[in-house]
Amino acid sequence: LIVAEVREGSPAGEAGLLKGDKIIAVNGRPAYQMKMYRIMDMFSSKPGRKITLDIVRNGIEMKKQFVLRDLLE
C-alpha cells in the first residue's frame, strides 16, 4: 500500500507520514493481510483511536504513530 495523499493538519500529517510512503503494517498486522476497506475503516473510526504504521521510505523502515481526531471540529 502506497500513501497517495496526506491531508495537511491531519494526525497522520502531523506524525510525519508523507505521500509515497509504503505502508507495510497497520497496528502490528502486515498490510498485505488486510483488505483495503478494512484499513480505510480503521482510519475513519472514532476519534481517540491510536494508529501505528510501519512504513518504508527511501528504503528505510520506520514507525509512525498518531491518534485519530475529528477534523471537522
Side-chain angles (χ1 to χ4, degrees), residues 25-56:
V26 180
N27 289 347
R29 185 170 174 198
Y32 73 87
Q33 292 179 349
M34 302 176 76
K35 303 271 187 205
M36 188 62 177
Y37 75 87
R38 178 68 185 120
I39 293 171
M40 296 306 293
D41 282 348
M42 290 176 72
F43 291 168
S44 304
S45 63
K46 65 182 178 184
R49 182 174 190 169
K50 185 177 177 181
I51 304 288
T52 301
L53 299 177
D54 294 338
I55 66 166
V56 174

